Amino acid sequence: MEMNSHPSTRPEHSDPDLLGIYLNDHLAGAAAGVELVRRIVRAHRGRDYGPQLAELAREIREDRRTLRACMEALGVRRLRSRTVLGWTVERLGRLKLNGRVLSRSPLSDVLELEAMRLGVEGKGACWRTLRALARTDGRLDADQLEELVQRARRQSQSLEALRAQVAGQVLTPPTAH
């Protein structure tokens, strides 16, 4: 068996297109997340935690712009079809069985907050992946990515606290008198 005298720094199974696919999938998720958080903000407007959700929505839109900037810095072409798919998936998610046909169910609040938290967890994983890449790729700003990792962690914690509060209100049976 002949050994290559110049070992590659890239694993044999590595494909440069995989990063593009990965980031476009996350961009599709970001499109769905922006739509979902818009709906959540509208549904919770006027509640005491409405401003917290509005700030979260602003951050999520900003995170999507940052992901686009990272993709541009890496020379990754955005695939519009993936973004449209993310938007479509979010729209289809509205058709879930929630115990009501024509009106919004209180259970929708719980399920949407859970979905949003899952999306934020996925976004955090993407930031951690890019942070790891930044160690060897100067096109990425490792410090900025660390801040994004921390922000995703805070967003997830905030969504979990809110989800627990809303689930408690919606799913706790009334006490007997």
Side-chain angles (χ1 to χ4, degrees), residues 27-43:
L27 187 59
V34 165
E35 289 301 315
L36 178 57
V37 78
R38 281 183 186 150
R39 190 167 76 243
I40 291 171
V41 167
R42 277 193 310 268

Side-chain angles (χ1 to χ4, degrees), residues 60-168:
I60 288 171
R61 288 189 307 271
E62 186 178 292
D63 291 345
R64 181 178 59 172
R65 284 190 299 273
T66 301
L67 178 56
R68 287 178 181 156
C70 288
M71 291 171 71
E72 187 175 310
L74 292 168
V76 171
R77 186 172 61 92
R78 290 190 321 201
L79 302 175
R80 178 144 172 74
S81 61
R82 298 279 178 141
T83 302
V84 169
L85 179 62
W87 181 86
T88 303
V89 165
E90 187 280 330
R91 293 284 196 245
L92 290 173
R94 296 178 185 194
L95 300 176
K96 63 192 167 294
L97 299 175
N98 61 11
R100 303 255 175 103
V101 177
L102 299 175
S103 63
R104 183 176 171 82
S105 166
L107 188 56
S108 296
D109 294 342
V110 177
L111 295 173
E112 288 171 353
L113 289 167
E114 287 178 358
M116 198 68 237
R117 181 166 183 234
L118 288 171
V120 167
E121 290 291 330
K123 174 179 62 177
C126 180
W127 296 140
R128 290 189 300 275
T129 297
L130 289 175
R131 181 184 62 191
L133 289 174
R135 292 182 191 128
T136 59
D137 193 328
R139 297 174 293 177
L140 296 171
D141 181 342
D143 291 336
Q144 178 191 34
L145 290 162
E146 178 58 32
E147 289 174 17
L148 291 164
V149 166
Q150 295 307 318
R151 178 154 83 174
R153 188 171 292 132
R154 284 190 309 275
Q155 290 171 347
S156 180
Q157 291 168 347
S158 176
L159 282 164
E160 174 54 22
L162 185 54
R163 184 212 60 81
Q165 176 185 344
V166 172

